[in-house]
Amino acid sequence: MEHPLFLYNTLTRKREQFVPLNPPHVGLYVCGPTVYGDAHLGHARPAITFDLMFRYLKHLGYKVRYVRNITDVGHLEHDADEGEDKVAKKARLEQIEPMEVVQYYLVRYHKNMEDLNVLPPSIEPMASGHIIEQIALVKQILDAGYAYESEGSVYFDVEKYNKDYGYGRLSGRNIEDMLNNTRTLDGQSEKRNPLDFALWKKAQPEHIMRWPSPWSDGFPGWHCECTAMGRKYLGDHFDIHGGGMDLVFPHHECEIAQAVAAHGEPMVRYWTHNNMITINGQKMGKSLGNFITLEQFFTGEHPKLERAYSPMTIRFFILGAHYRGTVDFSNEALDAASKGLERLMDAASLLDGLKTSDETSVQVKGLRERCYEAMNDDLNSPKVIAELFDAARAINMVHNGQGMISAEDLEELKETYRLFLFDLLGLRDDRASGAAGTEAFGKAVDLLLSIRAQAKANKDWATSDKIRDELTALGFTIKDTKEGAEWKLN
């Protein structure tokens, strides 16, 4: 590549050139969902952000191993070390097995991801399937002297680690102040310090999800799974770790501490984080009860929704903002995304029918270069979309006879437009889904319009008008041009 890829590294607070550790191989780990409820718009954002990264890295020729985990144990309420396991709580309320909860919501999550055209990761490990690896990690941290056992649980010693390596670098928090201001009275807690986090928790008698360990029958702390599974599938050192910005502290900060405590050096080179989806400026989340599930977006069944929005409208809405910027939900913004997506798809459908000239008068030169520049600038999808809108304007001008394009320029335009719209942004024309999306559907409409053209030639206006009116009633727009009738499904 002429222009290298730059990514913003949360750890160093700056854009850095992406240089993989073992080219052409790239290791990418992303924190997936905790599966105790339906996925909402907040879950769609990291999935789509890192799908864009996955697609682009592969397009650049890298062999990417993309690991996105599923949390099905150890994630306690309020992301804390006390309280009930989120999955187990749901199972208790529903009076079913925890793994029934996991299976039910995991199937639904996968369906949502498929609807959003999010590619499946290379590996999708589950926390409950990697208890052995997590126990091994805890043993290593204990052996290194950065953890202690207390009443059957094992806690990470943040104060000791902080003296040797410095804790809080990713989040930029001053841990010395926090340590000095959060002392608890002796004997009031199993922990030596409130900042210490659980590596292994002894299960209370009522706790359903439990495994034997050297310390107690219990379960791993929430932070252990990603360090253990990242290491297992990507090695002691890998390239990129991603997730939502809400995971920077404590989850990712704890992951860094665990890896360094176990190995003496960091595991991850580039930390990348997508920003939040907000509703009226407040983060969308299950814990806040202000979320709208993806299923509700697709059906329109939620009081805050004025209508249903297609999966591609949701994907386009998310890609319309830079992944590190906030995105505030509103019906107006989704309507604008829907119209914008339609404009780009309409232009894509015109590409094959464009007539060429000896010269080019529309502005299409340098489109590919500008799109690559945007992607190499920390995956700037809004800039790519702006370039595609300019290209769509040029396509419409040529189609309407207001501009000319040479055969050579048209070929490059087709290739670039489709590459970025479909392959890299991962958008597709889902306005005519199911049977309507098949080639046969388009051919059937073309056949009806050819019968209408024949009727017009025979001055059979009744048949001609009937076909046009019936198609219009079904939601088609029919436009008569000098070259014949054109149609699109609204």
Side-chain angles (χ1 to χ4, degrees):
M1 279 297 298
E2 203 175 315
H3 299 287
L5 170 63
F6 282 82
L7 295 173
Y8 182 85
N9 190 348
T10 309
L11 190 63
T12 59
R13 314 259 185 303
K14 61 181 188 223
R15 281 166 75 260
E16 292 179 3
Q17 184 176 338
F18 176 66
V19 182
L21 290 163
N22 304 299
H25 300 279
V26 169
L28 167 63
Y29 188 100
V30 174
C31 290
T34 302
V35 280
Y36 68 103
D38 275 332
H40 57 67
L41 195 60
H43 294 111
R45 191 158 196 204
I48 290 167
T49 296
F50 293 101
D51 185 56
L52 178 70
M53 183 183 282
F54 184 34
R55 286 168 182 269
Y56 192 56
L57 287 169
K58 287 202 300 181
H59 172 69
L60 293 179
Y62 294 118
K63 290 180 167 55
V64 187
R65 180 178 290 171
Y66 175 17
V67 181
R68 187 185 67 208
N69 71 302
I70 297 294
T71 299
D72 59 351
V73 65
H75 194 173
L76 305 187
E77 295 170 287
H78 315 300
D79 301 349
D81 282 337
E82 301 302 329
E84 208 168 350
D85 183 293
K86 292 182 178 189
V87 171
K89 182 180 182 181
K90 184 78 172 177
R92 180 173 58 75
L93 294 172
E94 304 272 337
Q95 295 190 308
I96 56 176
E97 275 285 329
M99 285 304 145
E100 284 183 82
V101 172
V102 169
Q103 184 67 15
Y104 178 77
Y105 289 111
L106 185 54
V107 167
R108 291 170 71 83
Y109 176 75
H110 285 154
K111 174 72 172 72
N112 288 158
M113 293 303 105
E114 201 177 304
D115 289 341
L116 291 168
N117 204 20
V118 167
L119 300 173
S122 321
I123 303 174
E124 193 174 50
M126 295 172 80
S128 64
H130 295 77
I131 301 295
I132 292 167
E133 288 82 358
Q134 293 176 78
I135 289 173
L137 174 70
V138 177
K139 279 182 182 168
Q140 270 187 301
I141 297 169
L142 274 167
D143 290 347
Y146 293 105
Y148 56 91
E149 191 184 339
S150 175
E151 297 174 38
S153 294
V154 180
Y155 293 98
F156 191 93
D157 191 335
V158 169
E159 189 164 19
K160 181 167 184 205
Y161 174 85
N162 184 54
K163 283 196 183 101
D164 294 347
Y165 294 107
Y167 178 83
R169 285 178 186 168
L170 186 70
S171 57
R173 297 185 179 216
N174 186 326
I175 298 302
E176 278 81 2
D177 289 351
M178 291 171 75
L179 284 164
N180 293 333
N181 295 333
T182 55
R183 296 282 177 206
T184 48
L185 294 169
D186 286 346
Q188 283 204 339
S189 167
E190 293 178 4
K191 302 180 185 184
R192 292 176 187 168
N193 194 293
L195 287 187
D196 295 349
F197 56 90
L199 298 173
W200 185 266
K201 284 287 287 180
K202 180 181 180 178
Q204 297 308 309
E206 69 277 6
H207 200 97
I208 330 171
M209 302 170 84
R210 54 172 69 221
W211 290 265
S213 81
W215 315 288
S216 63
D217 273 11
F219 54 93
W222 173 38
H223 313 303
C224 281
E225 59 176 297
C226 293
T227 304
M229 296 191 295
R231 181 167 78 171
K232 180 179 173 80
Y233 296 111
L234 299 172
D236 292 341
H237 304 286
F238 61 87
D239 299 295
I240 304 170
H241 193 317
M245 224 170 250
D246 54 337
L247 297 177
V248 171
F249 189 90
H251 188 50
H252 290 165
E253 198 73 79
C254 294
E255 273 193 61
I256 290 173
Q258 289 168 164
V260 173
H263 289 289
E265 51 190 354
M267 186 164 73
V268 178
R269 192 147 176 209
Y270 303 90
W271 285 88
T272 55
H273 295 91
N274 63 275
N275 213 323
M276 300 294 96
I277 300 267
T278 56
I279 294 191
N280 302 325
Q282 186 186 37
K283 175 198 158 186
M284 180 184 280
K286 282 186 196 152
S287 55
L288 298 164
N290 66 350
F291 63 93
I292 304 174
T293 70
L294 292 171
E295 209 54 50
Q296 287 169 327
F297 275 103
F298 303 159
T299 61
E301 289 168 12
H302 188 282
K304 281 195 167 75
L305 296 174
E306 287 168 10
R307 64 180 180 89
Y309 296 97
S310 75
M312 282 305 104
T313 296
I314 299 297
R315 186 174 177 109
F316 189 68
F317 168 64
I318 286 171
L319 291 171
H322 190 271
Y323 76 88
R324 288 196 300 109
T326 50
V327 171
D328 199 50
F329 155 80
S330 71
N331 283 281
E332 295 75 25
L334 282 167
D335 283 334
S338 179
K339 289 189 180 84
L341 179 63
E342 188 171 6
R343 270 214 307 283
L344 294 182
M345 290 302 168
D346 283 348
S349 66
L350 295 176
L351 277 168
D352 284 332
L354 293 185
K355 292 187 166 49
T356 57
S357 312
D358 293 335
E359 56 184 276
T360 300
S361 66
V362 291
Q363 186 56 49
V364 292
K365 290 270 190 283
L367 172 68
R368 179 184 301 227
E369 186 65 17
R370 292 192 299 275
C371 286
Y372 274 122
E373 270 177 24
M375 286 298 286
N376 288 331
D377 181 14
D378 198 23
L379 307 176
N380 194 335
S381 55
K383 179 79 170 66
V384 174
I385 289 168
E387 294 294 346
L388 293 177
F389 275 129
D390 285 347
R393 201 171 297 119
I395 291 166
N396 285 314
M397 285 175 74
V398 175
H399 174 70
N400 296 329
Q402 297 164 329
M404 299 178 296
I405 192 164
S406 70
E408 188 185 343
D409 285 347
L410 178 58
E411 268 320 296
E412 184 169 336
L413 175 62
K414 278 184 187 176
E415 204 178 294
T416 304
Y417 196 84
R418 287 168 176 158
L419 168 68
F420 283 91
L421 184 65
F422 299 124
D423 299 351
L424 298 179
L425 294 180
L427 295 161
R428 63 183 174 213
D429 198 343
D430 68 355
R431 293 171 297 176
S433 58
T438 64
E439 200 179 339
F441 173 82
K443 286 183 174 171
V445 180
D446 289 339
L447 175 64
L448 274 171
L449 291 178
S450 71
I451 294 168
R452 177 172 172 262
Q454 192 63 53
K456 280 174 80 175
N458 296 337
K459 296 192 167 44
D460 179 0
W461 308 118
T463 302
S464 162
D465 291 349
K466 182 175 168 59
I467 292 171
R468 185 197 61 213
D469 295 345
E470 293 282 345
L471 284 172
T472 304
L474 288 169
F476 290 88
T477 299
I478 309 298
K479 185 178 168 191
D480 289 309
T481 71
K482 282 182 283 187
E483 277 78 33
E486 294 175 354
W487 63 272
K488 75 171 183 177
L489 183 60
N490 298 320

